[in-house]
Amino acid sequence: MSVFVEEEVVSAPAVEQDVCSLDNYLVQPDHGMDERIAAARAKLGKSTILLGHHYQRDEVIRFADFTGDSYKLSKIAAETEAKYLVFCGVHFMAESADVLGRDDQKVILPDLNAGCSMADMAEIGQVEACWDSLMAAGLTPDEVLPITYMNSTAAIKAFCGERRGLVCTSSNAGKAFDWAFARAEKILFLPDQHLGRNTAFAMGIPLSEMVVWDPYRINGGLTPARLKAAKIILWKGHCSVHQRFLPEHVDKVRAKYPGIQVIVHPECRWEVCQKADALGSTERLIHLVESAPEGTMFAIGTEIHLVNRLAKQFAPKGKRIITLDDTGCLCTTMYRISPQHLAWALENLVEGHVVNRIQVRDDVKHWARVALDRMLEIRA
């Protein structure tokens, strides 16, 4: 189900002739690109802000006006006065910015191929079929409340908003669960099973009261009795980056570096999180490093760009930071946004052309906004 339109995509042959072609940018060498980006930014002034997710590559995020995780950037998108929001992140983030922004604001994603494999694991038709199956199994709309992780499409957010539910991030998932349990007996959590499991377990809910809904199996692979007994119904989805971290990575790094602090993102497997010293959103991981005393060594289980950035930032302060998995865990879709893509989008704006606009349909936007507003009312 398509919920957005993309404006002036240059790869299409029907593009107006005065729109700068992206192909010309991608074949150019990197030298001089920084100067062109800076010059375009200066010309655009306060009309345009750049939002950069922590997992973004260094040569792009250095130009961001604001950096953060999904929760922080969503709040900024809801509050900014800028007319143009250039989102150096992935597709679902740009969708959320459009949902939360004013009608006169336009959201731009420098590369439309910057998607999210986790978000793609929950398609709206599958989720609607799941809900119908839950009702057919004897559950009621008053009994179960849907929560979707920020890493989901606007259509999934709207689905939750229309059914009394809300959106959460890794920063406020626990608060979102508290909010939901004050209104219902059960939670359907989309689309990341690991964040849902880790959040519920931290709240004291045993694994025996959680089930996993597999959208590719009849009735999710679950019996009505199993659904009735569960407090948490987890969608079978995951982050392709964080799922790569394994319990043996924790054992190996502890054996090699006695006394090391292992901190991981809650999108990691439950077994990894149980072995870690602490877990948290990207913002919390950064805070843990910032507040640690000099001489502390960390192994961090999250995307490699953030880990490398923290390693450089805190090395002068006597803190050593390594990745939990030394083969490196790269968010390949986030990496698609390059300096060339950013320069292309900004220079077209200077010329008065909006390219790669992300625009959520009005009917979807309404309920997605309801779900996001409920999230923003919850303290992280």
Side-chain angles (χ1 to χ4, degrees), residues 111-236:
D111 185 353
L112 294 176
N113 290 314
C116 172
S117 60
M118 181 198 296
D120 292 342
M121 292 178 189
E123 192 273 330
I124 184 59
Q126 294 176 321
V127 175
E128 291 171 340
C130 167
W131 188 260
D132 291 343
S133 295
L134 294 180
M135 300 302 105
L139 303 185
T140 69
D142 291 334
E143 189 178 0
V144 58
L145 190 146
I147 299 177
T148 187
Y149 189 25
M150 178 66 80
N151 300 35
S152 58
T153 65
I156 302 300
K157 293 179 175 72
F159 170 92
C160 291
E162 194 170 4
R163 291 163 180 80
R164 303 186 302 130
L166 76 164
V167 180
C168 78
T169 71
S170 52
S171 301
N172 66 2
K175 296 290 185 181
F177 275 45
D178 286 336
W179 186 94
F181 278 129
R183 294 160 174 80
E185 299 174 20
K186 304 175 186 291
I187 290 173
L188 169 64
F189 188 77
L190 309 153
D192 180 19
Q193 61 172 308
H194 299 308
L195 176 62
R197 183 178 296 108
N198 289 321
T199 300
F201 190 82
M203 297 173 65
I205 299 174
L207 297 180
S208 60
E209 294 184 10
M210 305 181 208
V211 295
V212 177
W213 181 278
D214 186 342
Y216 294 100
R217 297 183 64 185
I218 297 174
N219 295 324
L222 301 169
T223 64
R226 191 74 183 93
L227 287 169
K228 274 288 187 181
K231 291 194 70 173
I232 305 289
I233 304 167
L234 302 167
W235 190 265
K236 191 176 182 181

Side-chain angles (χ1 to χ4, degrees), residues 66-363:
F66 300 95
T67 60
D69 61 9
S70 298
Y71 178 78
K72 180 178 178 180
L73 296 178
S74 294
K75 291 185 69 177
I76 292 169
E79 297 165 0
T80 182
E81 294 298 316
K83 183 178 180 181
Y84 302 107
L85 284 64
V86 180
F87 217 122
C88 297
V90 294
H91 198 278
F92 73 81
M93 300 177 190
E95 277 191 331
S96 295
D98 182 64
V99 168
L100 292 169
R102 302 188 314 272
D103 290 341
D104 63 325
Q105 290 177 316
K106 296 182 179 181
V107 180
I108 295 165
L109 185 66
D111 185 353
L112 294 176
N113 290 314
C116 172
S117 60
M118 181 198 296
D120 292 342
M121 292 178 189
E123 192 273 330
I124 184 59
Q126 294 176 321
V127 175
E128 291 171 340
C130 167
W131 188 260
D132 291 343
S133 295
L134 294 180
M135 300 302 105
L139 303 185
T140 69
D142 291 334
E143 189 178 0
V144 58
L145 190 146
I147 299 177
T148 187
Y149 189 25
M150 178 66 80
N151 300 35
S152 58
T153 65
I156 302 300
K157 293 179 175 72
F159 170 92
C160 291
E162 194 170 4
R163 291 163 180 80
R164 303 186 302 130
L166 76 164
V167 180
C168 78
T169 71
S170 52
S171 301
N172 66 2
K175 296 290 185 181
F177 275 45
D178 286 336
W179 186 94
F181 278 129
R183 294 160 174 80
E185 299 174 20
K186 304 175 186 291
I187 290 173
L188 169 64
F189 188 77
L190 309 153
D192 180 19
Q193 61 172 308
H194 299 308
L195 176 62
R197 183 178 296 108
N198 289 321
T199 300
F201 190 82
M203 297 173 65
I205 299 174
L207 297 180
S208 60
E209 294 184 10
M210 305 181 208
V211 295
V212 177
W213 181 278
D214 186 342
Y216 294 100
R217 297 183 64 185
I218 297 174
N219 295 324
L222 301 169
T223 64
R226 191 74 183 93
L227 287 169
K228 274 288 187 181
K231 291 194 70 173
I232 305 289
I233 304 167
L234 302 167
W235 190 265
K236 191 176 182 181
H238 62 267
C239 169
S240 58
V241 172
H242 290 104
Q243 180 150 299
R244 289 183 57 183
F245 296 109
L246 302 173
E248 46 264 42
H249 292 144
V250 181
D251 296 337
K252 181 179 178 181
V253 78
R254 289 198 192 281
K256 187 173 182 179
Y257 304 102
I260 195 170
Q261 295 290 301
V262 177
I263 57 177
V264 303
H265 196 283
E267 291 176 17
C268 293
R269 302 166 188 262
W270 179 83
E271 296 84 356
V272 172
C273 292
Q274 290 303 297
K275 285 179 172 284
D277 295 295
L279 57 152
S281 66
T282 51
E283 292 290 341
R284 181 161 190 259
L285 295 178
I286 293 169
H287 174 73
L288 289 170
V289 174
E290 287 176 337
S291 59
E294 183 177 342
T296 306
M297 183 176 182
F298 290 97
I300 305 181
T302 194
E303 206 273 344
I304 193 65
H305 281 101
L306 176 60
V307 176
N308 289 341
R309 196 172 300 126
L310 291 174
K312 293 176 184 178
Q313 179 181 349
F314 289 98
K317 301 179 182 180
K319 302 175 188 181
R320 185 179 177 191
I321 297 165
I322 62 173
T323 177
L324 182 58
D325 176 11
D326 57 14
T327 63
C329 292
L330 172 74
C331 181
T332 55
T333 51
M334 187 85 69
Y335 190 74
R336 288 180 180 274
I337 295 179
S338 67
Q340 288 92 335
H341 287 96
L342 181 56
W344 166 73
L346 292 175
E347 290 184 343
N348 268 290
L349 271 183
V350 170
E351 296 299 320
H353 308 300
V354 177
V355 295
N356 284 13
R357 182 182 178 188
I358 301 300
Q359 189 173 17
V360 179
R361 275 204 336 251
D362 287 343
D363 58 331

